[in-house]
Amino acid sequence: MSRVQSTLYSAAIRFAHQVHFDDELCKAQGWNGVILPGFLLGNWCLEAVTRTLGARSVVRSVSFRLTSVAYPDTLHRISGEVVNVEDEGEWTIVTCSVTVKDSSDNVVTKATVTAAVPNPA
């Protein structure tokens, strides 16, 4: 994600925190520059699960935790695994553990996403 896209995302969710656009402030904190919004990283995890489960999946819950800063204009990799599956009659409930890593293989976000998928009729 580019720095421009990150700034537009922050504006769209009305979260214009200075760490997402002020290089000098971020460098004073010991970072390389501006950082990606945490909500964006959590959203990537959510989107990875719902895209995998399909358009009819419905999110039940999401929790995520930032473990490091993530920078724009850097390649990030999302991986995950199914940790639980439950049958609830008309729905199958799938819980996934998701991780976002940067190009140096540092974990920047960990998430748990639970979604429901309709069972065939």
Side-chain angles (χ1 to χ4, degrees):
M1 165 158 291
S2 74
R3 185 172 171 164
V4 170
Q5 290 170 316
S6 174
T7 301
L8 290 172
Y9 178 87
S10 294
I13 66 168
R14 298 177 186 237
F15 189 72
H17 195 284
Q18 202 169 353
V19 297
H20 305 306
F21 61 84
D22 187 337
D23 272 322
E24 290 182 27
L25 172 84
C26 292
K27 288 179 180 177
Q29 295 292 323
W31 300 325
N32 296 337
V34 297
I35 61 175
L36 292 173
F39 289 120
L40 174 65
L41 297 164
N43 189 67
W44 283 352
C45 296
L46 169 67
E47 187 176 350
V49 171
T50 56
R51 281 187 180 204
T52 300
L53 294 177
R56 296 184 63 210
S57 61
V58 178
V59 175
R60 290 271 181 107
S61 68
V62 178
S63 64
F64 68 93
R65 166 173 73 86
L66 306 177
T67 57
S68 181
V69 295
Y71 299 104
D73 300 314
T74 300
L75 182 64
H76 292 89
R77 186 182 65 223
I78 301 172
S79 61
E81 65 180 346
V82 174
V83 294
N84 193 41
V85 177
E86 299 176 41
D87 186 359
E88 279 191 4
E90 294 182 20
W91 296 90
T92 296
I93 311 306
V94 181
T95 301
C96 299
S97 174
V98 184
T99 303
V100 179
K101 292 183 178 182
D102 65 16
S103 57
S104 298
D105 214 31
N106 297 312
V107 175
V108 296
T109 305
K110 291 183 177 185
T112 302
V113 179
T114 301
V117 181
N119 288 328

XYZ file of all heavy atoms in Angstrom, residues 13-107:
740
model
N -11.802 6.924 7.059
C -12.335 6.468 8.347
C -12.269 7.568 9.410
O -12.555 7.326 10.577
C -11.641 5.178 8.845
C -10.171 5.419 9.182
C -11.821 4.052 7.856
C -9.510 4.278 9.929
N -11.875 8.766 8.970
C -11.790 9.934 9.852
C -10.868 9.691 11.043
O -11.209 9.962 12.191
C -13.179 10.380 10.304
C -14.037 10.803 9.152
C -15.422 11.170 9.615
N -16.247 11.444 8.458
C -16.877 12.590 8.285
N -16.783 13.547 9.165
N -17.611 12.763 7.210
N -9.704 9.160 10.728
C -8.694 8.870 11.748
C -7.381 9.483 11.291
O -6.491 8.806 10.805
C -8.558 7.359 11.953
C -7.704 7.010 13.131
C -8.157 7.216 14.423
C -6.441 6.466 12.950
C -7.369 6.896 15.515
C -5.646 6.142 14.034
C -6.113 6.360 15.318
N -7.283 10.794 11.400
C -6.134 11.528 10.895
C -5.076 11.716 11.983
O -4.703 12.823 12.334
C -6.582 12.869 10.337
N -4.575 10.615 12.524
C -3.533 10.705 13.538
C -2.221 11.112 12.878
O -1.900 10.677 11.778
C -3.366 9.364 14.257
C -2.586 9.473 15.518
N -1.221 9.615 15.527
C -2.976 9.473 16.802
C -0.791 9.691 16.765
N -1.853 9.607 17.563
N -1.457 11.918 13.561
C -0.231 12.495 13.034
C 0.791 11.444 12.601
O 1.566 11.670 11.665
C 0.378 13.408 14.100
C 1.314 14.437 13.566
C 1.661 15.474 14.627
O 1.098 15.489 15.716
N 2.600 16.342 14.295
N 0.788 10.262 13.222
C 1.784 9.234 12.873
C 1.560 8.663 11.476
O 2.412 7.932 10.968
C 1.822 8.080 13.905
C 2.245 8.594 15.269
C 0.502 7.342 13.969
N 0.439 9.010 10.845
C 0.159 8.503 9.511
C 0.514 9.498 8.404
O 0.353 9.171 7.227
C -1.302 8.085 9.390
C -1.703 7.099 10.441
N -1.017 5.928 10.650
C -2.683 7.131 11.364
C -1.574 5.280 11.659
N -2.576 5.994 12.114
N 1.026 10.688 8.792
C 1.409 11.660 7.760
C 2.608 12.524 8.116
O 3.109 13.252 7.274
C 0.217 12.553 7.374
C -0.337 13.385 8.497
C 0.223 14.596 8.838
C -1.452 12.949 9.201
C -0.297 15.375 9.866
C -1.991 13.714 10.230
C -1.405 14.924 10.565
N 3.126 12.475 9.341
C 4.219 13.350 9.777
C 5.518 12.551 9.934
O 5.750 11.909 10.961
C 3.830 14.019 11.093
C 4.811 15.084 11.547
O 5.991 15.045 11.129
O 4.404 15.950 12.348
N 6.368 12.604 8.901
C 7.638 11.870 8.925
C 8.522 12.271 10.106
O 9.115 11.416 10.763
C 8.427 12.113 7.636
C 8.082 11.139 6.546
O 7.856 9.954 6.849
O 8.064 11.553 5.377
N 8.637 13.570 10.358
C 9.536 14.040 11.418
C 9.108 13.516 12.789
O 9.951 13.090 13.576
C 9.609 15.568 11.410
C 10.354 16.104 10.203
C 10.468 17.619 10.208
O 10.461 18.221 11.302
O 10.581 18.182 9.108
N 7.831 13.551 13.076
C 7.328 13.033 14.350
C 7.658 11.541 14.479
O 8.125 11.078 15.512
C 5.819 13.232 14.470
C 5.186 12.561 15.683
C 5.305 13.437 16.913
C 3.755 12.196 15.416
N 7.429 10.799 13.405
C 7.676 9.353 13.438
C 9.154 9.044 13.612
O 9.517 8.137 14.365
C 7.126 8.700 12.170
S 5.317 8.744 12.109
N 10.002 9.769 12.925
C 11.439 9.554 13.064
C 11.919 9.901 14.472
O 12.803 9.241 15.012
C 12.197 10.325 11.993
C 11.990 9.679 10.624
C 12.693 10.402 9.512
C 12.404 9.660 8.203
N 12.974 10.321 7.058
N 11.295 10.907 15.095
C 11.623 11.245 16.485
C 11.226 10.115 17.434
O 11.815 9.969 18.516
C 10.930 12.552 16.881
N 10.247 9.307 17.025
C 9.819 8.154 17.827
C 10.726 6.942 17.587
O 10.536 5.898 18.199
C 8.374 7.767 17.474
C 7.342 8.795 17.825
C 7.187 8.953 19.327
O 7.263 7.998 20.084
N 7.004 10.182 19.761
N 11.649 7.052 16.632
C 12.549 5.951 16.333
C 12.099 5.074 15.180
O 12.701 4.029 14.913
N 11.053 5.486 14.483
C 10.569 4.730 13.335
C 11.245 5.230 12.069
O 11.872 6.282 12.062
C 9.049 4.846 13.209
C 8.300 4.335 14.402
C 8.645 3.275 15.196
C 7.098 4.859 14.951
N 7.713 3.106 16.188
C 6.747 4.065 16.065
C 6.271 5.916 14.600
C 5.613 4.300 16.828
C 5.132 6.153 15.362
C 4.813 5.342 16.456
N 11.061 4.509 10.956
C 11.663 4.892 9.675
C 10.903 6.016 8.986
O 11.424 6.634 8.073
C 11.715 3.692 8.727
C 12.599 2.596 9.250
O 13.490 2.825 10.058
N 12.358 1.383 8.801
N 9.686 6.249 9.379
C 8.820 7.261 8.771
C 7.392 6.987 9.175
O 7.150 6.290 10.160
N 6.448 7.532 8.409
C 5.036 7.360 8.747
C 4.680 5.873 8.750
O 5.326 5.055 8.089
C 4.110 8.135 7.785
C 4.370 9.629 7.893
C 4.227 7.654 6.365
N 3.643 5.551 9.517
C 3.229 4.153 9.659
C 1.805 3.962 9.153
O 1.022 4.903 9.083
C 3.365 3.664 11.114
C 2.478 4.472 12.052
C 4.818 3.716 11.557
C 2.465 3.959 13.492
N 1.506 2.716 8.793
C 0.159 2.387 8.338
C -0.816 2.386 9.513
O -0.432 2.011 10.638
C 0.138 1.008 7.677
C 0.869 0.883 6.349
C 0.897 -0.573 5.899
C 0.225 1.752 5.287
N -2.065 2.760 9.281
C -3.068 2.726 10.350
C -3.327 1.285 10.807
O -3.448 0.367 9.985
C -4.325 3.305 9.690
C -3.856 3.999 8.460
C -2.603 3.313 8.039
N -3.416 1.107 12.098
C -3.701 -0.215 12.650
C -5.022 -0.778 12.171
O -5.137 -1.985 11.906
N -6.031 0.092 12.038
C -7.333 -0.381 11.560
C -7.215 -0.978 10.152
O -7.920 -1.917 9.807
C -8.369 0.743 11.557
C -8.800 1.163 12.926
C -8.618 2.465 13.357
C -9.379 0.252 13.799
C -9.014 2.851 14.622
C -9.782 0.634 15.066
C -9.594 1.931 15.482
N -6.326 -0.439 9.354
C -6.118 -0.961 8.005
C -5.565 -2.387 8.073
O -6.024 -3.279 7.358
C -5.164 -0.060 7.230
C -4.743 -0.556 5.853
C -5.938 -0.611 4.915
C -3.659 0.338 5.293
N -4.601 -2.614 8.944
C -4.013 -3.939 9.084
C -5.044 -4.941 9.585
O -5.108 -6.076 9.102
C -2.804 -3.880 10.014
C -1.663 -3.011 9.485
C -0.690 -2.668 10.588
C -0.973 -3.661 8.329
N -5.871 -4.535 10.537
C -6.952 -5.397 11.004
C -7.943 -5.696 9.896
O -8.430 -6.821 9.757
N -8.223 -4.693 9.076
C -9.139 -4.879 7.950
C -8.567 -5.852 6.924
O -9.304 -6.645 6.345
C -9.462 -3.532 7.298
C -10.555 -3.656 6.273
O -11.692 -3.941 6.603
N -10.201 -3.450 5.013
N -7.258 -5.815 6.698
C -6.642 -6.776 5.781
C -6.904 -8.201 6.253
O -7.193 -9.085 5.454
C -5.143 -6.550 5.691
C -4.715 -5.380 4.851
C -5.498 -4.598 4.046
C -3.392 -4.874 4.736
N -4.733 -3.631 3.442
C -3.441 -3.771 3.843
C -2.174 -5.218 5.300
C -2.306 -3.039 3.512
C -1.051 -4.482 4.964
C -1.121 -3.416 4.081
N -6.786 -8.420 7.562
C -7.021 -9.764 8.116
C -8.468 -10.192 7.892
O -8.738 -11.317 7.459
C -6.681 -9.789 9.601
S -4.941 -9.468 9.957
N -9.382 -9.302 8.181
C -10.803 -9.567 7.976
C -11.089 -9.876 6.510
O -11.774 -10.850 6.180
C -11.616 -8.356 8.436
C -13.081 -8.308 8.076
C -13.845 -9.387 8.800
C -13.638 -6.935 8.413
N -10.547 -9.069 5.628
C -10.790 -9.260 4.193
C -10.188 -10.568 3.693
O -10.781 -11.246 2.847
C -10.225 -8.081 3.415
C -10.572 -8.129 1.954
C -10.105 -6.904 1.186
O -9.665 -5.915 1.797
O -10.177 -6.963 -0.048
N -9.031 -10.943 4.204
C -8.412 -12.204 3.776
C -9.316 -13.389 4.097
O -9.487 -14.299 3.282
C -7.053 -12.378 4.449
N -9.935 -13.362 5.267
C -10.816 -14.464 5.665
C -12.095 -14.463 4.832
O -12.497 -15.500 4.299
C -11.136 -14.405 7.174
C -12.229 -15.403 7.542
C -9.873 -14.663 7.991
N -12.729 -13.321 4.689
C -13.999 -13.299 3.960
C -13.806 -13.588 2.474
O -14.655 -14.221 1.853
C -14.753 -11.966 4.156
O -13.914 -10.872 3.755
C -15.170 -11.785 5.603
N -12.697 -13.182 1.896
C -12.434 -13.525 0.494
C -12.210 -15.030 0.342
O -12.632 -15.631 -0.641
C -11.227 -12.774 -0.035
C -11.528 -11.361 -0.403
C -10.347 -10.713 -1.074
N -10.674 -9.349 -1.427
C -10.071 -8.691 -2.398
N -9.122 -9.275 -3.107
N -10.408 -7.460 -2.665
N -11.553 -15.618 1.323
C -11.296 -17.057 1.271
C -12.581 -17.855 1.451
O -12.817 -18.841 0.760
C -10.265 -17.454 2.352
O -9.048 -16.739 2.110
C -9.994 -18.939 2.331
N -13.433 -17.417 2.374
C -14.670 -18.148 2.663
C -15.779 -17.868 1.653
O -16.742 -18.622 1.572
C -15.158 -17.832 4.079
C -14.243 -18.313 5.205
C -14.804 -17.867 6.549
C -14.053 -19.821 5.156
N -15.671 -16.791 0.908
C -16.647 -16.499 -0.130
C -17.567 -15.338 0.198
O -17.675 -14.901 1.348
N -18.250 -14.881 -0.840
C -19.081 -13.681 -0.748
C -20.256 -13.826 0.220
O -20.766 -12.836 0.728
C -19.605 -13.304 -2.135
N -20.680 -15.049 0.491
C -21.830 -15.245 1.371
C -21.432 -15.350 2.844
O -22.290 -15.490 3.716
C -22.605 -16.484 0.937
C -23.193 -16.293 -0.481
C -24.036 -17.440 -0.933
N -25.202 -17.566 -0.063
C -25.814 -18.707 0.193
N -25.386 -19.828 -0.361
N -26.861 -18.748 0.985
N -20.143 -15.287 3.136
C -19.702 -15.373 4.534
C -20.101 -14.107 5.286
O -20.185 -13.019 4.723
C -18.191 -15.597 4.612
O -17.483 -14.530 4.017
N -20.380 -14.281 6.571
C -20.803 -13.185 7.434
C -19.866 -13.146 8.638
O -19.689 -14.152 9.330
C -22.257 -13.399 7.924
C -22.676 -12.285 8.862
C -23.206 -13.517 6.741
N -19.277 -12.000 8.886
C -18.332 -11.868 9.995
C -19.077 -11.903 11.320
O -20.076 -11.203 11.504
C -17.528 -10.560 9.862
C -16.628 -10.358 11.070
C -16.727 -10.565 8.578
N -18.597 -12.722 12.232
C -19.170 -12.801 13.581
C -18.349 -11.979 14.570
O -18.887 -11.326 15.442
C -19.216 -14.257 14.050
C -20.234 -15.114 13.332
C -21.568 -15.036 14.060
N -22.591 -15.843 13.446
C -23.050 -16.973 13.964
N -22.562 -17.459 15.078
N -24.014 -17.629 13.345
N -17.027 -12.061 14.456
C -16.174 -11.284 15.364
C -14.776 -11.140 14.775
O -14.334 -11.964 13.974
C -16.086 -11.944 16.740
O -15.387 -13.170 16.666
N -14.122 -10.067 15.190
C -12.745 -9.800 14.786
C -12.016 -9.211 15.980
O -12.538 -8.325 16.656
C -12.669 -8.770 13.633
C -11.217 -8.475 13.272
C -13.449 -9.222 12.438
N -10.834 -9.720 16.239
C -9.954 -9.064 17.209
C -8.565 -9.067 16.604
O -8.168 -10.031 15.940
C -9.973 -9.775 18.558
O -9.458 -11.083 18.444
N -7.855 -7.965 16.765
C -6.503 -7.914 16.230
C -5.619 -7.112 17.168
O -6.090 -6.311 17.969
C -6.474 -7.339 14.808
C -6.832 -5.883 14.699
C -5.857 -4.906 14.729
C -8.153 -5.497 14.563
C -6.175 -3.574 14.621
C -8.499 -4.164 14.451
C -7.505 -3.199 14.476
N -4.331 -7.393 17.045
C -3.340 -6.732 17.892
C -2.138 -6.409 17.025
O -1.638 -7.254 16.286
C -2.998 -7.684 19.029
C -1.820 -7.399 19.838
C -1.739 -8.354 21.034
N -1.358 -9.690 20.697
C -0.102 -10.119 20.594
N 0.886 -9.280 20.786
N 0.169 -11.368 20.301
N -1.701 -5.170 17.104
C -0.498 -4.754 16.389
C 0.701 -5.187 17.219
O 0.743 -4.958 18.418
C -0.492 -3.247 16.186
C -1.733 -2.678 15.500
C -1.651 -1.168 15.425
C -1.917 -3.278 14.136
N 1.682 -5.798 16.572
C 2.868 -6.268 17.276
C 4.109 -5.479 16.900
O 5.145 -5.606 17.534
C 3.097 -7.765 17.000
O 3.204 -7.962 15.596
C 1.944 -8.596 17.544
N 3.995 -4.681 15.855
C 5.089 -3.841 15.381
C 4.492 -2.804 14.442
O 3.342 -2.939 14.026
C 6.120 -4.701 14.640
O 7.203 -3.911 14.203
N 5.265 -1.790 14.115
C 4.776 -0.808 13.147
C 4.915 -1.373 11.738
O 5.769 -2.218 11.475
C 5.527 0.540 13.257
C 5.259 1.194 14.596
C 7.009 0.376 13.012
N 4.049 -0.913 10.856
C 4.087 -1.305 9.448
C 4.190 -0.037 8.621
O 3.521 0.958 8.903
C 2.832 -2.087 9.087
N 5.021 -0.096 7.605
C 5.283 1.080 6.789
C 4.602 0.990 5.423
O 4.523 -0.099 4.847
C 6.788 1.253 6.585
C 7.538 1.450 7.878
C 8.279 0.415 8.436
C 7.486 2.664 8.552
C 8.959 0.582 9.633
C 8.160 2.844 9.744
C 8.900 1.804 10.281
O 9.562 1.980 11.468
N 4.151 2.131 4.896
C 3.627 2.131 3.535
C 4.758 1.843 2.544
O 5.935 1.928 2.890
C 3.081 3.552 3.346
C 3.586 4.361 4.467
C 4.080 3.438 5.527
N 4.376 1.519 1.324
C 5.335 1.234 0.249
C 6.248 0.058 0.589
O 7.382 -0.019 0.131
C 6.166 2.479 -0.100
C 5.290 3.635 -0.561
O 4.394 3.379 -1.390
O 5.491 4.761 -0.092
N 5.744 -0.851 1.419
C 6.464 -2.057 1.799
C 5.568 -3.246 1.497
O 4.362 -3.186 1.719
C 6.786 -2.034 3.319
O 7.587 -0.891 3.608
C 7.515 -3.276 3.750
N 6.159 -4.306 1.011
C 5.395 -5.511 0.738
C 5.009 -6.181 2.060
O 5.846 -6.326 2.949
C 6.226 -6.482 -0.108
C 5.544 -7.772 -0.516
C 4.357 -7.488 -1.429
C 6.541 -8.685 -1.218
N 3.742 -6.552 2.185
C 3.249 -7.275 3.363
C 2.631 -8.586 2.903
O 2.059 -8.658 1.819
C 2.217 -6.435 4.122
C 2.817 -5.234 4.762
N 2.926 -4.037 4.097
C 3.364 -5.054 5.979
C 3.517 -3.163 4.889
N 3.787 -3.755 6.043
N 2.755 -9.599 3.734
C 2.218 -10.921 3.408
C 1.232 -11.326 4.504
O 1.526 -11.220 5.697
C 3.359 -11.929 3.316
C 2.917 -13.294 2.843
C 4.072 -14.263 2.824
N 4.484 -14.435 4.206
C 5.747 -14.473 4.636
N 6.715 -14.376 3.828
N 6.028 -14.612 5.901
N 0.075 -11.791 4.093
C -0.950 -12.236 5.034
C -1.063 -13.743 4.936
O -1.156 -14.299 3.839
C -2.309 -11.581 4.708
C -2.188 -10.060 4.777
C -3.387 -12.081 5.680
C -3.405 -9.330 4.279
N -1.035 -14.400 6.076
C -1.225 -15.854 6.101
C -2.171 -16.185 7.238
O -2.361 -15.398 8.160
C 0.111 -16.580 6.270
O 0.721 -16.224 7.495
N -2.772 -17.353 7.141
C -3.701 -17.738 8.192
C -3.984 -19.210 8.186
O -3.581 -19.941 7.269
N -4.673 -19.621 9.225
C -5.082 -21.008 9.324
C -6.412 -21.098 10.057
O -6.734 -20.248 10.877
C -4.030 -21.852 10.039
C -3.808 -21.479 11.485
C -2.747 -22.333 12.160
O -2.362 -23.368 11.603
O -2.308 -21.955 13.250
N -7.159 -22.118 9.719
C -8.422 -22.380 10.398
C -8.087 -23.037 11.730
O -7.351 -24.023 11.781
C -9.326 -23.295 9.551
C -10.568 -23.694 10.326
C -9.693 -22.606 8.245
N -8.617 -22.468 12.825
C -8.330 -23.025 14.151
C -9.541 -23.698 14.776
O -9.406 -24.448 15.738
C -7.746 -21.958 15.109
C -6.384 -21.495 14.624
C -8.683 -20.777 15.286
N -10.743 -23.441 14.222
C -11.942 -24.074 14.761
C -13.064 -24.022 13.724
O -13.215 -23.025 13.023
C -12.387 -23.377 16.049
C -13.420 -24.182 16.799
O -13.321 -25.389 16.904
N -14.421 -23.500 17.339
N -13.837 -25.104 13.667
C -15.016 -25.170 12.801
C -16.150 -25.764 13.620
O -15.967 -26.793 14.275
C -14.761 -26.049 11.552
C -16.021 -26.160 10.708
C -13.603 -25.504 10.735
N -17.309 -25.109 13.604
C -18.482 -25.587 14.334
C -19.699 -25.563 13.412
O -19.861 -24.639 12.619
C -18.772 -24.691 15.543
C -17.673 -24.629 16.574
C -17.995 -23.646 17.685
O -19.156 -23.607 18.134
O -17.085 -22.893 18.072
N -20.549 -26.557 13.559
C -21.790 -26.604 12.792
C -22.908 -26.035 13.660
O -23.115 -26.484 14.787
C -22.110 -28.043 12.387
C -23.309 -28.142 11.465
O -23.915 -27.099 11.147
O -23.634 -29.268 11.066
N -23.612 -25.033 13.146
C -24.747 -24.430 13.850
C -26.018 -24.575 13.012
O -26.745 -23.611 12.815
C -24.487 -22.957 14.155
C -23.643 -22.694 15.359
C -23.651 -21.218 15.768
O -24.368 -20.395 15.162
O -22.907 -20.901 16.703
N -26.241 -25.737 12.481
C -27.450 -25.965 11.689
C -27.362 -25.359 10.312
O -26.800 -25.949 9.401
N -27.905 -24.169 10.157
C -27.900 -23.504 8.855
C -26.545 -22.872 8.523
O -26.325 -22.460 7.392
C -28.988 -22.430 8.813
C -30.392 -22.997 8.877
C -31.449 -21.901 8.782
O -31.121 -20.793 8.291
O -32.587 -22.152 9.185
N -25.677 -22.790 9.499
C -24.396 -22.107 9.314
C -23.238 -22.977 9.792
O -23.376 -23.731 10.750
C -24.362 -20.804 10.119
C -25.370 -19.798 9.670
C -26.642 -19.672 10.126
C -25.192 -18.801 8.688
N -27.278 -18.633 9.482
C -26.396 -18.078 8.588
C -24.125 -18.415 7.869
C -26.566 -17.014 7.719
C -24.295 -17.353 7.003
C -25.506 -16.662 6.929
N -22.096 -22.814 9.137
C -20.841 -23.353 9.637
C -20.026 -22.167 10.132
O -19.851 -21.182 9.408
C -20.062 -24.094 8.528
O -20.842 -25.213 8.112
C -18.719 -24.587 9.036
N -19.576 -22.254 11.378
C -18.818 -21.166 11.988
C -17.330 -21.512 11.892
O -16.896 -22.553 12.375
C -19.219 -20.955 13.462
C -20.749 -20.869 13.597
C -18.532 -19.718 14.030
C -21.415 -19.838 12.731
N -16.569 -20.632 11.270
C -15.146 -20.862 11.031
C -14.344 -19.775 11.752
O -14.595 -18.584 11.557
C -14.825 -20.827 9.526
C -13.347 -21.095 9.283
C -15.694 -21.804 8.756
N -13.397 -20.206 12.576
C -12.506 -19.271 13.262
C -11.103 -19.433 12.693
O -10.598 -20.552 12.601
C -12.501 -19.513 14.780
O -13.842 -19.355 15.274
C -11.584 -18.528 15.501
N -10.513 -18.305 12.316
C -9.191 -18.312 11.692
C -8.212 -17.453 12.489
O -8.584 -16.409 13.018
C -9.265 -17.751 10.275
S -10.339 -18.691 9.186
N -6.989 -17.903 12.548
C -5.879 -17.128 13.090
C -5.125 -16.556 11.894
O -4.746 -17.291 10.984
C -4.976 -18.036 13.915
O -3.835 -17.336 14.341
N -4.924 -15.232 11.890
C -4.322 -14.560 10.738
C -3.123 -13.739 11.203
O -3.152 -13.138 12.281
C -5.359 -13.643 10.047
C -4.783 -13.007 8.792
C -6.635 -14.408 9.726
N -2.084 -13.722 10.370
C -0.868 -12.972 10.673
C -0.481 -12.121 9.475
O -0.559 -12.576 8.337
C 0.294 -13.934 10.998
O -0.090 -14.775 12.076
C 1.545 -13.181 11.396
N -0.057 -10.888 9.747
C 0.493 -10.017 8.710
C 1.974 -9.841 9.015
O 2.339 -9.474 10.138
C -0.193 -8.631 8.682
C 0.420 -7.745 7.597
C -1.688 -8.760 8.486
N 2.818 -10.115 8.008
C 4.271 -9.939 8.153
C 4.768 -8.960 7.110
O 4.215 -8.863 6.018
C 4.993 -11.276 7.958
C 4.724 -12.275 9.058
C 5.533 -13.535 8.840
C 5.302 -14.540 9.965
N 6.139 -15.748 9.748
N 5.838 -8.245 7.455
C 6.448 -7.335 6.491
C 7.478 -8.073 5.652
O 7.673 -9.284 5.808
C 7.034 -6.098 7.184
C 8.191 -6.405 8.121
O 8.788 -7.510 8.048
O 8.532 -5.515 8.930
N 8.144 -7.359 4.772
C 9.088 -7.990 3.851
C 10.318 -8.563 4.547
O 11.027 -9.386 3.974
C 9.508 -6.998 2.765
O 10.065 -5.841 3.360
N 10.565 -8.162 5.788
C 11.673 -8.724 6.573
C 11.209 -9.889 7.438
O 11.942 -10.343 8.305
C 12.300 -7.637 7.454
O 12.832 -6.607 6.663
N 9.971 -10.325 7.233
C 9.361 -11.435 7.959
C 9.049 -11.113 9.424
O 8.900 -12.011 10.242
C 10.219 -12.704 7.856
C 9.376 -13.965 7.814
O 8.243 -13.899 7.292
O 9.830 -15.008 8.311
N 8.963 -9.821 9.745
C 8.547 -9.401 11.091
C 7.029 -9.422 11.165
O 6.356 -8.905 10.272
C 9.029 -7.976 11.397
C 10.527 -7.863 11.404
O 11.214 -8.675 12.015
N 11.043 -6.871 10.698
N 6.488 -9.992 12.226
C 5.042 -9.983 12.431
C 4.625 -8.572 12.837
O 5.156 -8.020 13.797
C 4.616 -11.001 13.512
C 3.132 -10.899 13.798
C 4.992 -12.411 13.086
